[in-house]
Amino acid sequence: MTDLYSADARQELIDKLFKHIDPTNSKYIKHSTVKVKSLKKPNVTIWSKGTKSGDWKVYRVNGEINAKFETVVKFFQAADGDLKKMKIMAQTATSNQIVKKHEHGVHIKRVDAFPWPFADRVFTSYRVAQKTDDKFVMACIHDPNFKPSYDSAQQKAKLFPGGVIIEKINESTTRVTTIGGADLKGNIPAWLVDNFIGDIAHSLGRIQDYMDKKKAKAAKKTSSA
């Protein structure tokens, strides 16, 4: 993709993301299963595969949320630039900014806290979205021309192409698949990487809790009206 902002490039990025959830994709191996108590189906599966450009795994995390498709889509749409919602998805996030909006996408800068002695990581990306009646995808890619400023004590990482795919299963159940990976630009131990990926699995439970609280609040407001 030479022009990240063209319609063809955007579609290519989205098409590549869907290939990650193709059941015939044999490049992924089952990494682990995490039990997330908040979910109706508590088993969240983590898949991983090696990369050509670095040692860090490319991961795929998928699970089901007991909420309507449109409700889940709106949550993810609102998370861009919203640190509170981003921390539900990634507890390590300390900053989440929309730096620039385009006609068909946004440039995002996010900072994640790493434990001492590792420097916090800065992630920058160009993100596009596409929605149908039963699928929603947010795809992101590293843009070498996007160079926002960051603290000298921080380390800029390079994201691999990834994103989120949201699929309607039925009127009350939605599947969420997160795909990603990065060159973290440093010697990061495997246990720390596994912690970060494990947190993504547990984020589905935090999203479920958020949905349940919002639903209960709306029901209470309706009953008292």
Side-chain angles (χ1 to χ4, degrees), residues 36 38-39 65 75 86-92 198-213:
V36 182
S38 302
L39 302 178
I65 293 176
F75 172 85
M86 179 53 68
K87 286 184 78 68
I88 293 174
M89 294 191 287
Q91 289 187 315
T92 54
D199 182 64
I200 293 168
H202 283 286
S203 73
L204 297 181
R206 295 193 293 270
I207 294 171
Q208 182 71 70
D209 290 340
Y210 175 87
M211 299 291 177
D212 291 344
K213 288 177 183 177

Side-chain angles (χ1 to χ4, degrees), residues 41 63-65 67-69 134-135 166-176:
K41 289 186 176 180
E64 295 179 6
I65 293 176
K68 292 181 178 179
F69 170 73
D134 59 358
K135 286 185 178 66
I166 301 170
E167 300 170 280
K168 180 179 179 180
I169 297 176
N170 54 46
E171 291 305 316
S172 61
T173 309
T174 304
R175 180 184 294 113
V176 176

Side-chain angles (χ1 to χ4, degrees), residues 48-104:
S48 65
K49 72 185 184 84
T51 67
K52 295 178 180 179
S53 54
D55 294 328
W56 203 43
K57 308 180 190 95
V58 171
Y59 64 81
R60 185 182 75 199
V61 177
N62 61 275
E64 295 179 6
I65 293 176
N66 186 33
K68 292 181 178 179
F69 170 73
E70 292 291 345
T71 304
V72 178
V73 169
K74 286 179 182 177
F75 172 85
F76 277 87
Q77 287 176 320
D80 276 347
D82 186 324
L83 182 58
K84 186 176 181 180
K85 286 186 175 65
M86 179 53 68
K87 286 184 78 68
I88 293 174
M89 294 191 287
Q91 289 187 315
T92 54
T94 59
S95 175
N96 181 44
Q97 299 173 289
I98 296 177
V99 178
K100 189 176 182 180
K101 291 185 178 181
H102 302 268
E103 183 181 358
H104 300 290

